Amino acid sequence: MRVCVLLLLTVSSIFVFAQPEAQHGINVGDLDRTAEACTDFFQYSNGTWRKENPIPAYMDRWSRRWQAGENAKDQLKTILDDVSSRTDWPRRSVEQLVGDYYGSCMNEAQVNKLGISPAMPFLRDIEAIKNQNDLQQMMFRLHEMGIFVPFVTVAQPDNHNPTQTIADIAAGGLGLPDRDYYLKTEQRFQDAREKYKVHVANMFKLAGYDDASAKAAAQTVFKFEKSLAENSLDNVALRDPQNTDHKTAFADLKKMAPVVDWDSYFAKAGIAQVDLNVDQPKFMHEVDRQFRETSLGDWKIYLKWQLLHGQAGVLSDDFVKENFAFYGEYLSGAKELKPRWKRCAESTDQLLGEALGKKYVEKYFSPEAKARALELVKNVLAAMHDTIEGLDWMGPETKKKALEKLSTFNPKIGYPDKWKDYSSIPISRESYWNNQVAAAKWNVVQDTWALAGKPTDRGRWGMTPPTSNAYYNPLLNEIVFPAAILQPPAFDVKAVDAVNYGSIGVVMGHEISHGFDDQGSQFDAKGRLNNWWTADDLKRFQTRTACVANQFDGYFIEPNIHHNGKLVLGESIGDLAGAKIAYLAFQKAKQQHAAPTLDDFTPDQQFFIAWGQVRGDEIRPETQRKMVQGDPHPIAKFRVIGPLSNLPEFSNTFSCKEGSAMVRPAKERCEVW
Ligand SMILES: [Zn+2]
């Protein structure tokens, strides 16, 4: 089977888009012609678009790509308005589930009238906790509805035998974006901590606490979470799969955190008491300590906070607004809350994504688009094949393994072959809270925990079709492109090859390259966390990746804040290799079918401009700071400038001279793949 795939990749003819009349090229109106392509290609390729398209008040970033994501929501709205306008759909049909879920969410008057009352039974039960057993029962109830505190229990393919799915216990339990927010000493983190405490207190006040008890509760929550943070790995450490690989026998989990009644937890969760993975044993020791040493009173406050925090979006407007004031406005810089219908569409997508996605695909994703996208992926995979074969720094032994891994790549395009069946979830027009809790519970219990201990289902998707994004999963060695990313401007059947290869082609190259970045390269052709490199080749690879980490360490967003090269390394390798192999695939496509010069730009110029335009984000300063701290993706500006300034293909295309800002000096230039 693997051989067949390999043959397909190497001998398949290069797919070329049929070129009917009226195919469009890049968006010339987006260019800032006062800027120089060789000095600041980001500004040159999209500066006018950014100037003319300010970030909408409810967004924290904006570009043609983000705009496309919002367009997908407009498309969802037509579906949601339609199905929710009727209440006579057959019970448990896709239309009834989606329509009633969205309809109950859109009933803002009722949600506001209910105020905090839907959460009251939980808050009362938390208050009634009398002993360790009650406490753990309540923790389990919260886990069931997706509020995973203080630890997270999911299911994922076994790192060492990915054909089997096992339970995975990870660290969680924080209200700030990551552990560094609790610990770093820079002023901006100190400020965030103070604002966070005010926010936590405000949420308690909305739940009926007086000012003094709300403030005291916020201190308790902060102290509890800070202790979890101190025992959690940071964002960089979390990127190395070795650091979270701890296959553990069930009996040893019981030794790791003996105070937790794991027998009862696993039995109720329906998870077999067999080997599992514990991401962070040190964190589990801390969980055990908290159970033993923290008073029941403090636990109750922590659980109440996490319930209010996790469910804020399902409660009345006062909770929604307070939640937005901290997470949306203060931490991300958005100016206004998203319209309710967008929040309801997002919630429907999050919890019933493949029901809504089925309708979305029927209406907005053509078989023609799927076929073309698949061909494009194959061509970019073939370019990666050529690139690996031609590497001068990699020995034949490692090359063979790299090619073997490439041959087992599984591209998924648009939507799953088999849709999830949500028909057992009780959903009605009656109550948004009840619907949300029932759907969340189904997603945790039936759609996550139930997978543990079973053979891995390779047909599952980790993103819903209406998601404007893509991913690589090293355990399944799959690259996945949901229908909503396969829309203009990233992919357009009416665009010339240069534009499609320069936009979705680079995205595809990026996802393929994740299989060979600092993380993905540790997984073999079968998806196992298993070193397939010779020692010398691995050393050479690491020298090359260190070049990219150094490059991004040098990118500042503000005078004292720069990217963390090790945090953004995988994404930056993905962009660098992705741009290169998509460019190579485009060169082959041109041999089959001459690409036109359009608007005075050569095909190769169009290719690079397309990438600059797809990544043309304008971004709020708050979101930029948050990303630099915790997001493995660099900000868009450096996703354009970073990779292209390493590529001779770029500098040749625009005739950039040595010494230009967009041409890194030969000695500093990075090339990984
Ligand atoms: Zn990526």
Side-chain angles (χ1 to χ4, degrees), residues 533-577:
W533 296 69
T534 65
D536 284 348
D537 286 334
L538 186 58
K539 212 182 272 172
R540 283 190 283 266
F541 175 68
Q542 285 166 344
T543 305
R544 285 169 180 271
T545 62
C547 174
V548 178
N550 285 336
Q551 178 187 2
F552 279 79
D553 274 336
Y555 287 142
F556 282 75
I557 57 155
E558 285 173 30
N560 295 312
I561 310 179
H562 62 85
H563 266 304
N564 178 348
K566 286 199 175 110
L567 178 62
V568 298
L569 181 55
E571 298 299 331
S572 304
I573 295 170
D575 285 339
L576 176 57

Side-chain angles (χ1 to χ4, degrees), residues 198-199 202-203 206 317-326:
V198 172
H199 165 60
N202 287 345
M203 293 288 277
L206 290 175
D317 269 355
D318 40 358
F319 287 93
V320 172
K321 282 180 184 152
E322 175 56 37
N323 187 63
F324 171 75
F326 181 70

